[in-house]
RNA sequence: GCCGGAGUGGCGAAAUUGGCAAACGCGUGUGACUCAAAAUCACAUGGGAUUUAUCCCUUGUGGGUUCAAGUCCCACCUCCGGCACCA
């Protein structure tokens, strides 16, 4: 008989890839009366370097899940597409003059070839490509809708700017003070930019996290990023002026201990009151110095610096005591109110600052349990108030309520909520992106391009460099720039910035439901059928950016009535990375395993099986070239097992029992993303089968069915050999179910412990009673040697498992 | 500093959620087949002691709860990821 090796050599796997394509096995059908299941990968950026086996882990997971669901008779939507706008192709274009469109086209075709060669069952009719006009038309449409809803605005701000990519970056795209994409140190620039009001959805985004089935870690990261805190805003009058300075604090209970305050260098009060500040020269010098630095540089100054505003004092509204005012660069203008109250006794930072400037430390909170670290260190915890007038004796918690109420009555305070999350800066001064569909008219201001005129097409260019002024290259195309106002028909100019590519990827999962629709983002019926996504799989690195933006856009579209769900991805699974030699696989490290070469040497079935077997899917694991051989040997063994098949053979009870156990475990493990143990269970069962002289067709068939989501080619080959069926194994609807009755064993190994240590094991009938077990245990030789009846204190009996004799 | 996650053989890892620690696979060793090698098959493989059909120890460290702890509790150490002048 032909062996597995010659099956591979004779293009056995390719035969089935062709067959599935020809028979449209993996095309999405929506047959009536079947459940719909939408399983989605995060769509990739088609890079020039192609895919490596690390990328394929996530894709293999979704494909296994998709195939299993298909075999269970569901309608499955399992699409793939391309996040095709963005900097790499554009930078490459600047270097080489090759149009990004061509670079991307080539990369896509390469990716497609690679993905297809691994046997993934995507329905390519559903493909979406974010740089195509029929796609970005809807990106622009969303922008216009958001604009109409008041969720888009343009404003001048100091923004993060990457000098190498020559574009601004969203806060989320600055990682470790560096550009997320190219690693260049980010600088700050004051520029007019488009923003999406994601902050309006801060609370919704936070609340939505409670209901979705996502890794705890990802939810926590989003929660931290949103950074909600509840506190109070307190107004401090400035003595002998009409001005007040507001501060935000979460610890209003420490207010009696506040004897100085600090404002940000950008705080407007400074300019307003400069005539009253007696040391203005010194203050101004400090401000200038601070403003020369970026936020990032300021953060680098670890010591808290500041200069007192001499001649000015504020009044603490709770006790009318004078409060010194400082300007300090560690106070941020864009968080809270741009001013803080300082309580040296109960904030370590304030404590250190007060030492430097000889400010007294007033203790107002006494710890309830521990000893106060004062005067060596501040006490930052909660406790009972002292030195706090009428509020003394209250706990921190009570005091916060009462003091806020007190100040509110006086008109000096209120409770507020603050978020760390900022609005999403989406304009980019680059070519290769979705044009922002806005027109600036001298008379009407910014006017959105009407829906009927969408898409605003990206003009063909051959010069991709931003202008010397740092504008988008589109600014150089007068045909594009000069237009008429959609409102008044007068002369107008187009916006030349393009959108952050994260806008493109914030909604693509919607489009798969109806990717060829020219009139709507997607047909309502189709949306209802498929969305939200049943399972979303991708890397943890998208925990904040992509996943937060996608949730935001979904919520906004929901509130405008276009979607009837609030969360796009009720279930998220994040696969771990694949390392090699202890490092992330990457071309620059030179440690990538190329899937093409791998498939050629071992076959795609082995490759997929190993991806699933190498370790827990959610955990990062090390790729081992040697570990692969185990999977290959296993498939060879599976191949050889067919020699043992005998039509009508009656398998032993043990084999039947093991089969049902395997069905149960494999089905459950795939549902739980424990693919590694699912494969182990199959290996185990194959070992059992190898030990049989003969096996029935049915047992082998079930085994093959369970294996085929992981290793589809050998699955289809064996299935066809067995049945002579015309239908593909994936469309035969034959996923087996286990029979719980047949899993139960009659004879079990029963453990006998003495004081919790295993001393003997005996074979007993299942369901043995406690008394019977005790009797058997005590009659064991090994136990007799160690235990005298009269010394027995207690007997613990765990049915069908063990008996523990305590002496 | 804060918030997560992890720590089990030579290696990747299992452990039905408190009940035989090391399933499955890799590697290694011995044997069978072979002129030989590869492949395959069989057996062994956490550490230590030994009178070798016997005993002791072992899940990062130290303590605790329990008849019983890799699993629960407390403290600590190490590694990885995220956030970080956020008031």
């Amino acid at each position: 008989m032909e062996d597995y090796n010659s099956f591979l050599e004779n293009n056995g796997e390719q035969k089935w890839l062709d067959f599935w394509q020809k028979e449209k096995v993996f095309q999405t059908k929506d047959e009536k009366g079947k459940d719909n299941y939408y399983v989605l990968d995060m769509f990739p950026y088609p890079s020039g370097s192609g895919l490596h086996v690390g990328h394929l882990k996530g894709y293999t997971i979704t494909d296994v899940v998709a195939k299993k669901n298909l075999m269970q008779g569901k309608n499955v939507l399992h699409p793939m597409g391309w996040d095709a706008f963005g900097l790499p192709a554009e930078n490459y274009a600047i270097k080489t003059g090759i149009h990004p469109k061509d670079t991307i086209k080539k990369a896509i075709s390469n990716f497609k070839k690679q993905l297809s060669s691994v046997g993934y069952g995507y329905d390519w009719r559903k493909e979406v490509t974010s740089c195509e006009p029929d796609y970005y038309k809807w990106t622009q449409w969303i922008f216009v809708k958001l604009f109409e809803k008041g969720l888009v605005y343009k404003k001048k701000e100091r923004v993060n700017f990457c000098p190498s990519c020559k574009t601004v970056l969203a806060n989320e795209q600055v990682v470790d003070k560096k550009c997320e994409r190219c690693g260049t140190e980010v600088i700050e620039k004051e520029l007019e930019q488009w923003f999406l009001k994601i902050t309006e959805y801060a609370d919704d985004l936070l609340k939505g996290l409670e209901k979705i089935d996502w890794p705890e870690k990802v939810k926590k990261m989003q929660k931290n990023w949103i950074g909600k805190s509840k506190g109070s805003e307190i107004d401090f009058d400035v003595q002998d002026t009409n001005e007040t300075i507001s501060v935000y604090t979460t610890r209003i209970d420490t207010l009696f201990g506040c004897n100085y305050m600090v404002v940000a260098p950008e705080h407007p009060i400074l300019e307003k009151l400069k005539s009253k500040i007696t040391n203005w020269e010194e203050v101004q010098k400090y401000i200038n110095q601070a403003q020369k630095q970026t936020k990032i540089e300021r953060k680098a100054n670890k010591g808290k610096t500041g200069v007192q505003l001499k001649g000015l004092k504020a009044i603490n509204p709770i006790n009318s005591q004078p409060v010194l005012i400082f300007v300090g660069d560690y106070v941020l203008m864009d968080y809270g109110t741009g001013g803080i109250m300082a309580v040296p006794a109960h904030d370590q930072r304030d404590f250190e600052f007060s030492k430097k400037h000889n400010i007294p430390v007033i203790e107002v909170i006494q710890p309830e349990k521990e000893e106060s670290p004062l005067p060596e260190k501040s006490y930052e915890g909660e406790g009972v108030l002292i030195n706090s007038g009428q509020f003394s004796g209250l706990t921190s918690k009570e005091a916060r309520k009462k003091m806020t109420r007190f100040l509110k009555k006086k008109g000096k305070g209120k409770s507020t909520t603050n978020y760390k999350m900022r609005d999403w800066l989406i304009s980019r001064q680059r070519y290769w992106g979705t044009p922002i569909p806005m027109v600036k008219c001298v008379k009407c201001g910014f006017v959105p391009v009407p829906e009927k005129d969408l898409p605003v097409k990206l003009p063909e260019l051959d010069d991709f460099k931003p202008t010397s002024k740092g504008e988008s290259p589109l600014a150089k195309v007068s045909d594009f720039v000069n237009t008429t106002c959609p409102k008044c028909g007068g002369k107008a100019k187009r916006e030349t910035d393009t959108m952050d590519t994260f806008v493109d990827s914030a909604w693509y999962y919607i489009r798969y439901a109806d990717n060829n629709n020219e009139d709507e983002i997607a047909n309502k019926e189709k949306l209802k059928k498929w969305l939200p996504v049943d399972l979303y799989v991708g890397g943890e690195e998208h925990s904040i950016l992509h996943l937060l933006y996608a949730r935001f856009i979904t919520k906004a579209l929901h509130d405008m009535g276009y979607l009837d769900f609030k969360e796009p991805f009720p279930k998220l699974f994040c696969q771990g990375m694949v390392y090699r030699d202890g490092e992330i696989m990457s071309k620059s490290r030179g440690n990538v395993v190329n899937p093409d070469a791998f498939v050629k040497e071992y076959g795609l079935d082995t490759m997929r099986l190993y991806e699933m077997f190498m370790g827990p899917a959610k955990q990062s694991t090390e790729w081992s070239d040697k570990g692969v051989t185990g999977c290959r040997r296993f498939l060879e063994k599976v191949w050889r097992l067919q020699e043992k098949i005998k039509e009508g053979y009656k398998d032993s009870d043990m084999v039947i029992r093991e089969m049902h156990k395997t069905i149960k475990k494999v089905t459950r493990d795939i549902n739980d993303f424990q693919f590694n143990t699912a494969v182990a269970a199959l290996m185990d069962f194959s070992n059992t089968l190898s030990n049989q002289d003969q096996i029935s067709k049915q047992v082998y068939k079930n085994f093959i069915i369970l294996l085929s989501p992981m290793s589809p080619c050998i699955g289809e080959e064996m299935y066809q050999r067995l049945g002579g069926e015309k239908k593909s194994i994936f469309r035969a609807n034959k996923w087996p179910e286990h029979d719980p009755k047949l899993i139960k064993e009659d004879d079990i190994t029963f453990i006998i412990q003495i004081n919790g240590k295993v001393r003997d094991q005996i074979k007993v009938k299942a369901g043995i009673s406690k008394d019977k077990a005790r009797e058997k245990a005590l009659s064991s030789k090994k136990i007799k040697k160690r235990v005298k009846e009269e010394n027995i204190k207690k007997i613990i009996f765990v049915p069908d498992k063990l008996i523990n004799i305590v002496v």
Side-chain angles (χ1 to χ4, degrees):
Chain A
M1 190 190 272
E2 179 196 25
D3 64 8
Y4 185 62
N5 213 16
S6 36
F7 166 72
L8 291 182
E9 274 167 14
N10 298 329
N11 287 323
E13 292 190 331
Q14 188 61 45
K15 178 178 75 190
W16 295 115
L17 296 181
D18 296 342
F19 170 80
W20 295 325
Q21 196 173 15
K22 200 173 122 248
E23 300 295 320
K24 304 181 170 65
V25 167
F26 298 121
Q27 283 194 2
T28 304
K29 299 188 179 128
D30 53 29
E31 288 164 16
K32 288 220 172 84
K34 286 187 170 184
D35 288 341
N36 296 328
Y37 190 79
Y38 182 6
V39 49
L40 182 64
D41 300 281
M42 291 181 184
F43 72 164
Y45 176 82
S47 74
S49 45
L51 294 159
H52 59 64
V53 295
H55 298 121
L56 298 188
K57 184 165 163 185
Y59 301 145
T60 306
I61 290 169
T62 51
D63 199 63
V64 167
V65 173
K67 284 188 164 67
K68 183 205 141 230
N69 277 281
L70 190 63
M71 294 169 88
Q72 288 179 316
K74 291 182 194 163
N75 294 319
V76 172
L77 175 58
H78 182 216
M80 182 48 80
W82 318 104
D83 185 15
F85 272 137
L87 286 171
E90 185 173 358
N91 289 337
Y92 186 69
I94 291 171
K95 221 165 44 188
T96 62
I98 299 170
H99 198 284
K101 188 184 70 188
D102 300 327
T103 313
I104 287 292
K105 208 171 160 189
K106 210 173 131 194
I108 288 176
S109 105
N110 182 37
F111 265 53
K112 249 179 161 168
K113 211 178 84 203
Q114 283 193 300
L115 292 173
S116 302
S117 74
V118 191
Y120 296 143
Y122 303 121
D123 183 347
W124 289 111
R125 298 171 309 166
K126 301 279 177 185
E127 180 179 9
V128 302
T129 307
S130 67
C131 66
E132 296 290 343
D134 64 356
Y135 181 89
Y136 68 66
K137 172 181 178 177
W138 299 103
T139 311
Q140 294 175 336
W141 178 84
I142 289 171
F143 181 93
V144 170
K145 291 294 154 197
L146 293 174
F147 181 86
E148 288 167 359
K149 189 88 202 295
L151 290 170
V152 179
Y153 64 95
K154 194 169 197 185
K155 101 175 171 197
K156 204 167 197 179
E157 214 186 64
R158 270 185 95 150
V159 294
N160 307 304
F161 186 87
C162 171
S164 161
C165 300
K166 292 207 174 50
T167 187
V168 299
L169 299 171
N171 291 330
E172 290 86 341
Q173 288 164 326
V174 181
V175 177
D176 211 12
K177 305 165 199 172
K178 289 180 184 132
C179 171
E180 178 217 17
R181 262 276 145 74
C182 70
T184 309
E185 194 109 346
V186 169
I187 59 169
E188 281 187 16
K189 273 197 170 182
E190 180 131 298
L191 289 169
E192 204 176 36
Q193 298 292 327
W194 289 100
F195 289 86
L196 297 189
K197 267 194 208 166
I198 190 171
T199 51
E200 197 135 300
Y201 280 86
D203 257 325
D204 277 0
L205 288 167
L206 203 55
K207 270 191 213 127
L209 290 174
E210 289 163 21
K211 288 173 218 140
I212 52 184
D213 181 9
W214 282 23
E216 241 6 81
K217 185 182 179 183
V218 177
K219 290 209 249 183
K220 269 270 159 58
M221 278 166 74
Q222 292 214 350
K223 201 176 161 195
N224 290 342
W225 187 264
I226 296 165
K228 180 176 182 166
S229 79
K230 283 188 178 166
S232 325
E233 216 171 285
I234 307 171
D235 298 332
F236 286 65
D237 289 330
V238 184
Q239 229 167 27
D240 306 323
T241 72
N242 294 324
E243 299 296 332
T244 61
I245 299 172
S246 296
V247 300
Y248 172 73
T249 179
T250 53
R251 292 298 303 275
I252 193 174
D253 52 307
T254 64
L255 186 52
F256 277 86
C258 164
N259 51 5
Y260 77 98
M261 61 197 305
V262 188
V263 296
E266 298 84 2
H267 202 288
I269 199 84
L270 295 164
E271 209 35 55
K272 271 190 199 158
L273 295 180
K274 67 177 175 188
S275 60
K276 300 218 172 197
I277 300 171
T278 56
N279 60 336
W280 176 246
E281 222 169 275
E282 185 193 356
V283 170
Q284 192 168 34
K285 203 174 138 202
Y286 180 81
I287 295 171
N288 286 344
Q289 211 180 347
Q291 283 185 332
K292 252 191 276 165
Q293 299 176 327
T294 63
K295 278 183 222 160
I296 290 140
E297 283 166 336
R298 278 204 217 166
K299 280 180 203 170
N301 303 337
K302 276 282 167 222
K304 315 296 172 231
T305 64
V307 173
Q308 193 189 342
L309 310 180
K310 291 195 176 138
L312 283 187
K313 265 185 190 154
I315 317 268
N316 188 334
I318 200 89
N319 58 5
S320 305
Q321 290 297 304
V323 169
L324 306 176
I325 310 173
F326 284 77
V327 57
D329 65 1
Y330 67 95
V331 178
L332 307 174
M333 194 61 220
D334 62 0
Y335 181 78
T337 60
I340 61 163
M341 65 175 229
V343 184
H346 302 295
D347 182 290
Q348 188 57 23
R349 196 178 49 189
D350 299 344
F351 182 84
E352 283 160 24
F353 193 93
S354 74
K355 290 283 168 234
K356 230 194 262 175
H357 293 89
N358 285 319
I359 299 166
V361 177
I362 306 163
E363 185 180 11
V364 292
I365 304 287
Q366 219 158 44
E368 280 181 284
K369 282 171 197 152
E370 71 239 73
E371 194 105 323
S372 175
L374 284 165
E376 268 72 48
K377 245 176 82 181
S378 67
Y379 172 67
E380 297 193 329
E382 308 214 334
V384 177
L385 274 71
I386 54 167
N387 300 326
S388 296
Q390 53 180 300
F391 302 101
S392 293
L394 296 178
T395 63
S396 293
K397 205 175 160 194
E398 295 162 347
R400 279 200 287 272
K401 268 192 216 153
K402 291 200 170 156
M403 289 165 85
T404 307
R405 210 178 300 149
F406 175 82
L407 288 181
K408 200 173 173 187
K409 255 189 207 156
K410 273 181 79 178
K412 295 288 173 207
K414 60 178 185 203
S415 50
T416 53
T417 305
N418 256 303
Y419 300 90
K420 288 186 198 170
M421 185 170 65
R422 304 281 79 133
D423 277 337
W424 176 14
L425 195 171
I426 57 144
S427 41
R428 299 288 180 274
Q429 294 70 51
R430 299 294 301 229
Y431 169 67
W432 192 235
T434 304
I436 293 178
M438 295 297 287
V439 166
K440 192 175 190 179
C441 167
V442 192
K443 269 200 272 177
C444 312
F446 278 111
V447 180
V449 175
E451 195 175 330
K452 67 174 170 49
D453 295 334
L454 295 178
V456 174
K457 282 208 183 161
L458 188 65
E460 289 269 337
L461 291 190
D462 44 21
D463 170 16
F464 312 103
K465 282 200 195 85
T467 68
S468 50
K469 281 189 277 179
E471 293 165 306
S472 152
L474 295 180
K476 295 189 248 182
V477 188
S478 58
D479 279 3
F480 177 81
V481 174
N482 298 309
T483 183
T484 52
C485 171
K487 225 179 193 174
C488 70
K491 275 195 176 172
K493 285 185 189 296
R494 274 189 205 285
E495 171 63 56
T496 58
D497 282 358
T498 54
M499 287 187 228
D500 180 4
T501 54
F502 277 102
V503 184
D504 307 328
S505 58
W507 73 276
Y508 74 105
Y509 46 89
I510 295 169
R511 190 66 177 169
Y512 284 128
D514 193 11
N515 61 326
N516 292 315
N517 195 327
E518 290 177 16
D519 308 315
E520 291 172 283
I521 186 165
N523 170 278
K524 283 236 160 179
E525 285 292 301
K526 292 191 177 170
L527 284 176
K528 200 163 235 149
K529 211 168 265 170
W530 295 111
L531 281 129
V533 177
D534 291 288
L535 171 65
Y536 196 36
V537 176
E540 232 162 41
E541 67 274 16
H542 296 105
S543 299
I544 296 170
L545 295 161
H546 163 61
L547 289 168
L548 195 65
Y549 295 148
R551 294 180 61 224
F552 161 56
I553 294 294
T554 298
K555 285 175 191 300
L557 290 175
H558 168 267
D559 290 354
M560 290 188 270
Y562 295 109
L563 300 176
D564 62 4
F565 53 93
K566 288 185 174 180
E567 289 288 343
F569 316 122
K571 166 112 190 126
L572 172 73
F573 181 81
C574 295
Q575 85 275 12
M577 298 242 233
V578 176
Y579 290 91
R580 196 162 176 239
D581 314 319
E583 289 183 308
I584 296 169
M585 258 188 217
S586 73
K587 214 183 174 188
S588 58
R589 288 188 176 84
N591 63 349
V592 298
V593 178
N594 182 312
D596 305 326
F598 189 91
V599 166
K600 213 168 171 192
E601 189 176 348
Y602 291 95
L604 70 92
D605 279 348
T606 297
M607 137 106 214
R608 295 170 56 113
L609 194 69
Y610 181 63
E611 291 271 1
M612 295 297 92
F613 183 61
M614 58 192 288
K618 69 175 172 189
Q619 189 179 302
S620 296
T621 37
E622 174 82 17
W623 179 276
S624 151
D625 296 313
K626 283 199 175 146
V628 167
T629 59
C631 290
R632 170 62 189 263
R633 288 209 275 251
F634 165 68
L635 292 180
E636 286 166 6
K637 203 172 191 178
V638 170
W639 185 274
R640 285 195 304 268
L641 275 177
Q642 57 178 315
E643 292 164 23
K644 294 184 187 272
I645 299 170
K646 193 188 169 199
E647 192 94 55
Y649 181 77
K650 193 170 178 310
D651 303 286
S652 69
D653 290 352
M654 187 273 288
V655 167
I656 296 295
R657 186 170 63 237
E658 289 306 312
M659 179 184 80
H660 282 276
K661 275 187 181 170
T662 308
I663 294 168
K664 183 180 176 188
K665 182 151 180 65
V666 171
T667 308
R668 197 188 53 202
D669 283 357
I670 291 178
N671 285 339
D672 295 345
F673 302 97
Q674 283 162 5
F675 306 99
N676 55 332
T677 50
V679 176
L682 287 167
M683 289 172 165
D684 222 352
F685 188 45
S686 84
N687 289 340
T688 304
L689 296 183
S690 297
N691 292 334
Q692 308 303 310
D693 291 332
Q694 291 183 314
I695 56 177
S696 73
K697 209 160 137 180
Q698 192 50 43
V699 163
Y700 187 72
K701 198 176 199 173
N702 279 336
F703 172 72
I704 278 297
I705 289 171
L706 294 173
L707 172 65
S708 54
M710 277 72 81
S711 297
C713 296
I714 194 172
E716 189 77 272
E717 174 78 26
M718 290 303 149
Y719 187 76
Q720 298 300 334
R721 284 183 184 212
L722 285 177
E725 285 210 38
K726 282 213 191 87
K727 249 189 182 174
S728 159
I729 185 171
F730 299 105
R731 288 284 179 185
N733 203 357
K734 291 271 168 61
W735 191 268
E737 279 186 37
H738 75 274
D739 183 342
K741 282 187 298 241
L742 294 177
I743 285 180
K744 287 200 184 117
E745 290 187 47
D746 298 336
D747 299 308
I748 51 171
T749 309
F750 196 77
I751 302 300
I752 306 168
Q753 295 183 334
I754 298 171
N755 289 339
K757 292 200 168 171
V758 180
R759 291 305 179 194
D760 199 6
Q761 38 184 283
I762 49 175
K763 289 259 182 233
V764 299
K765 286 261 178 262
I768 187 171
S769 72
K770 184 175 177 178
D771 291 342
K772 195 87 191 270
R774 179 195 159 112
E775 186 189 311
K776 282 212 170 194
L778 291 175
S779 60
S780 143
K781 262 188 210 155
K782 287 182 188 170
I783 300 304
K784 266 188 183 160
K785 230 164 56 182
R786 290 171 181 269
V787 177
K788 282 186 192 141
E789 286 258 12
E790 58 270 27
N791 291 339
I792 297 173
K793 275 197 200 144
K794 203 172 169 186
I795 299 244
I796 309 283
F797 173 73
V798 182
D800 287 351
K801 234 168 221 152
L802 58 80
I803 189 163
N804 187 11
I805 303 162
V806 186
V807 294

